[in-house]
Amino acid sequence: MVLFPFLVPLLLSSFVLASSKWNGLSHGMHKVKVDSYEVQHKATGEPLPPLDTVYYFDQLIDHDDPSLGTFQQRYWVSWDYYQPGGPILLMNAGEEDASAYIGYLTVSTITGYLAEMLNGSVVLLEHRFFGQSNPYPDLTTESLRVLTLQQAIDDHEYFIENVQLPIPGGDQVGPDKAPWVLFGGSYPGALASYTLYNKPDLFAAGYASSAVVQAISDFWGYYEPTREYMPMNCSSDVEAVIAHVDEVLDSGNATAIQALKDNFGLGSVTANDDFAWALATVLQTWQDLLESGSGTIFYEFCDALEVKDGQSAGPGGWGLDHALAAWGDYYQNSDFLVDPGVSTRTTQTITPISGPTPITGTGRGIGFCVTSSGSGKTAPPQGTPTLVSRFAQPERWERQCTYFFPEVFSSPPDTSLAAARTNQQYGGWNVSTARLVFANGVRDPWREATVAANASPNAGSDLQPHLIGEGFHCSDMLTAEGNVNPSVKAVQQQALQYIAQWLEDWKPSA
Ligand SMILES: *[C@@H]1O[C@H](CO)[C@@H](O)[C@H](O)[C@H]1NC(C)=O
Ligand SMILES: *[C@@H]1O[C@H](CO)[C@@H](O)[C@H](O)[C@H]1NC(C)=O
Ligand SMILES: *[C@@H]1O[C@H](CO)[C@@H](O)[C@H](O)[C@H]1NC(C)=O
Ligand SMILES: *[C@@H]1O[C@H](CO)[C@@H](O)[C@H](O)[C@H]1NC(C)=O
C-alpha cells in the first residue's frame, strides 16, 4: 500500500471477473473448434487469408499519456460474408490468449452468425496483458499500472478509430463511416456494457452475454443457480457433507479436523478457508456446462456421489456417511484436479517473466487482486442453504492480495470499497445505455452479478433489452446451444433482431 498507492484503486477496480478463471478450472466464454482455417469469400469465391492469420495494431500503452508510445495488440479478422457498408463486429476475447477464440470468426458463434446475416466482418481483439498483447515485456506491478478497466475501454475506442482492416475498403471503416458492434461474454460482456456506458454513441450496437456487470466482493450468489438447477439428490448430499464439514471445523478439534481433511486428500491444506475453497472447486465446474456437449465433470461428480451399486439415490440423496466417503474417493482417485488453495503459492511462483520469450499474460497479470472486486465467491449467510462451507469468506480472497502483490498490499485490502467504486463508475447492474442487448441464462452461475440477478433493480428497455433464457454461462454465444435449447434460440433470435434494427437505423456521420 505504501510503495504504489496508485495501484490500489487501479488493481482493485480493474476486473470484475472470476477467481476461478485463473485457477485453471473454468473460463468465461466457451471455445469453439474450428475444423479448417481455410476460407473463401462466400459471394465471389475468392480465397481469403486463413482465419488464424494474426494482424497487429499499434495500441497506446497508456491512454492518459500517449507520449509513452504504443505496443502491438493482436487481432484476427474474417470477412467471408463482408460487403462494403456492412457492420464490423468487434469481439474482445478477455482475460485469455485470444487465439483460442478464433471460432468466434465463424458461423458457429453469434458473431459469425450475425456477419452472415448482415454481410458483416468479424474482428477478434486480444485484451491488453493477455496472450501476446503486452504493453510491457514484463508483468511487474509498475507495468500493471496500465491494466485497468478504463484502459481496456479506451483500447476499444482507439482501435476502432484508427485501425486499417485488411478487408476491402478497410482504411475507411472508422466509427463515423461504418457501424461497429461490440460483443463479449462474461468479463468481456461486462466490458461491452462499460464501454457503451462510458462512450455513448461510439458503437452502433452491443451484445453482452452473461455480463458480470455488478462488482460484488462477497459473492455468495455464485453458487445459487447451481444449487437451484443441479440434481436434487446431489445437492442434498453436498449440503449434508458441508454441514458436517462446518460442524467439525467449528469444533476446533484438531484431530477431527485433520481426519476430515485427510478424507479428501487435503491433509496438507492448513487454513480452514483454503480447505473450504478446495471443496468448492468441483462445484465451479457447473460453469463449464453446455447443453450441446462439453463440461461433464459436474455430472461425473454427482454420479460418483449418487450412484451406488448401479442404483441412483432419490431426491434426499444417500445421506452423510456415503456422500462423505464417495466425495473423498472422488477427490483422491478421479482425474479431477483439486485446487488446494492459492495461498499455498508463494511469491516465488509469480516472479515476473521477462527476457526473450514473449510473456503470456495469464499468470500474474490475472492475479487474484486484479480480479477481486467482483469475484470473492463465498458462502451464503446463516439460514440460507449452502453448497459451500461457511468458512469461505471474503477475507480469504483479500488475503491473496498480500501474496500476489506484497509490494502493494502490506495488509489485506477491503474489496467491498473497490467493488462499490467500480459500480459507481460503470453503472453495475443499474446501467442504462442505448442499443445494448443483455443476453442471460438462468442456469449461469454468474447470473447474480448480471442484470438478470434477482436483486437487480433494472428491468431494461427497448433500447437496452434484457433477454433471459434457460442457458448456462455464455451459452447464447454458441449457435449449437440455440439448436438444442429453444429458449436459448429465442434469446439469440431476439438479440439479432434488435441489433439488425439498430443497424438499419444507423447513419454515418462522416
Ligand atoms: C448481403 O449481400 C448480398 C450480396 O452478396 C445482398 O444480396 C444482400 O441484400 C445483402 N444483405 C444485407 C442484409 O445487406
Ligand atoms: C476429537 O476428535 C477425535 C476424533 O474424532 C475424537 O476421538 C476425540 O474424542 C475428540 N476430542 C474431543 C475433546 O472432543
Ligand atoms: C440422482 O442422481 C443421478 C446420478 O447423478 C441423476 O441421474 C438423477 O437425476 C438424480 N435424481 C434426482 C431425483 O435428483
Ligand atoms: C442502483 O439502484 C438502486 C435502486 O434504484 C440504488 O439503491 C443504488 O444506489 C444504485 N446503485 C448505483 C451504483 O447507482
Side-chain angles (χ1 to χ4, degrees):
M1 185 136 336
V2 220
L3 270 176
F4 300 101
F6 59 89
L7 267 173
V8 181
L10 290 175
L11 287 173
L12 284 174
S13 65
S14 282
F15 283 167
V16 188
L17 49 88
S19 46
S20 72
K21 289 181 178 146
W22 70 277
N23 72 15
L25 272 177
S26 310
H27 293 281
M29 295 178 290
H30 298 270
K31 288 162 189 138
V32 180
K33 217 169 146 270
V34 182
D35 291 328
S36 165
Y37 291 132
E38 274 173 43
V39 59
Q40 320 173 322
H41 196 276
K42 293 293 184 298
T44 65
E46 175 202 350
L48 302 178
L51 288 178
D52 58 348
T53 308
V54 182
Y55 300 92
Y56 296 90
F57 175 70
D58 292 323
Q59 182 62 268
L60 292 180
I61 291 173
D62 184 348
H63 294 278
D64 298 327
D65 184 0
S67 74
L68 292 179
T70 60
F71 69 98
Q72 295 211 308
Q73 186 169 28
R74 296 198 298 177
Y75 67 99
W76 292 257
V77 189
S78 67
W79 66 97
D80 42 336
Y81 289 101
Y82 184 70
Q83 299 287 347
I88 320 279
L89 314 175
L90 177 66
M91 179 162 119
N92 189 314
E95 68 282 18
E96 271 193 274
D97 185 318
S99 64
Y101 289 96
I102 289 174
Y104 285 78
L105 299 177
T106 75
V107 291
S108 302
T109 61
I110 192 98
T111 31
Y113 188 78
L114 196 73
E116 177 182 16
M117 246 179 79
L118 300 172
N119 296 340
S121 165
V122 185
V123 177
L124 174 69
L125 182 67
E126 189 160 70
H127 192 290
R128 60 168 57 213
F129 281 99
F130 294 94
Q132 293 176 23
S133 296
N134 296 293
Y136 292 109
D138 60 51
L139 297 171
T140 60
T141 315
E142 176 61 33
S143 300
L144 289 171
R145 190 182 56 81
V146 291
L147 175 56
T148 67
L149 282 173
Q150 192 59 48
Q151 296 281 353
I153 292 168
D154 292 343
D155 282 348
H156 288 152
E157 179 176 44
Y158 192 76
F159 181 84
I160 76 174
E161 284 185 344
N162 296 287
V163 73
Q164 306 218 336
L165 294 177
I167 67 178
D171 56 349
Q172 293 296 317
V173 289
D176 51 347
K177 301 186 185 71
W180 285 76
V181 185
L182 184 58
F183 286 77
S186 198
Y187 160 60
L191 200 54
S193 174
Y194 299 165
T195 302
L196 267 66
Y197 180 72
N198 190 253
K199 301 187 184 297
D201 299 326
L202 183 63
F203 283 87
Y207 181 101
S209 169
S210 294
V212 286
V213 286
Q214 182 79 0
I216 303 171
S217 64
D218 182 359
F219 186 42
W220 62 270
Y222 179 84
Y223 299 101
E224 287 299 281
T226 310
R227 197 173 60 78
E228 286 166 33
Y229 291 100
M230 71 194 278
M232 204 176 315
N233 47 16
C234 194
S235 67
S236 300
D237 275 338
V238 168
E239 285 175 37
V241 169
I242 291 304
H244 171 73
V245 164
D246 281 350
E247 203 176 291
V248 174
L249 293 180
D250 276 332
S251 77
N253 180 334
T255 318
I257 292 173
Q258 189 60 45
L260 180 68
K261 290 177 178 170
D262 287 341
N263 176 66
F264 296 96
L266 295 167
S268 62
V269 177
T270 342
N272 287 342
D273 55 5
D274 284 342
F275 174 55
W277 165 257
L279 292 180
T281 50
V282 72
L283 298 165
Q284 291 161 19
T285 63
W286 181 264
Q287 184 170 322
D288 298 332
L289 282 179
L290 282 178
E291 211 130 357
S292 61
S294 78
T296 52
I297 294 176
F298 191 91
Y299 289 121
E300 246 173 60
F301 167 69
C302 281
D303 287 350
L305 264 59
E306 301 310 324
V307 183
K308 183 165 69 165
D309 306 326
Q311 284 233 309
S312 287
W318 294 115
L320 176 63
D321 290 347
H322 177 75
L324 188 61
W327 191 339
D329 181 56
Y330 183 79
Y331 261 32
Q332 299 215 44
N333 300 315
S334 76
D335 293 339
F336 180 69
L337 203 63
V338 182
D339 183 339
V342 284
S343 61
T344 57
R345 293 172 200 187
T346 68
T347 50
Q348 282 170 343
T349 61
I350 54 161
T351 304
I353 311 155
S354 58
T357 355
I359 53 170
T360 57
T362 48
R364 195 176 191 194
I366 196 170
F368 169 76
C369 284
V370 183
T371 72
S372 70
S373 59
S375 68
K377 294 175 199 158
T378 55
Q382 294 288 347
T384 308
T386 183
L387 299 176
V388 300
S389 162
R390 298 200 201 271
F391 280 76
Q393 292 300 326
E395 289 72 25
R396 175 173 183 281
W397 300 111
E398 292 162 359
R399 200 170 72 233
Q400 310 310 319
C401 303
T402 61
Y403 300 118
F404 277 91
F405 300 102
E407 65 277 44
V408 182
F409 301 103
S410 53
S411 61
D414 181 349
T415 50
S416 66
L417 297 176
R421 205 160 38 225
T422 300
N423 294 332
Q424 182 68 38
Q425 199 172 353
Y426 300 111
W429 57 33
N430 285 17
V431 65
S432 169
T433 178
R435 300 178 310 279
L436 173 64
V437 174
F438 281 103
N440 282 293
V442 291
R443 290 184 286 179
D444 173 10
W446 289 99
R447 184 191 70 202
E448 294 301 302
T450 74
V451 294
N454 293 324
S456 167
N458 191 343
S461 68
D462 254 3
L463 266 184
Q464 186 187 297
H466 296 180
L467 309 175
I468 306 173
E470 288 163 12
F472 292 100
H473 192 56
C474 299
S475 51
D476 48 83
M477 300 188 88
L478 306 180
T479 313
E481 288 294 290
N483 293 341
V484 294
N485 188 319
S487 86
V488 174
K489 185 80 167 181
V491 166
Q492 294 170 333
Q493 294 296 339
Q494 288 174 56
L496 297 183
Q497 278 164 20
Y498 274 111
I499 292 173
Q501 184 61 54
W502 294 329
L503 290 179
E504 210 165 284
D505 297 343
W506 184 88
K507 301 264 178 296
S509 58

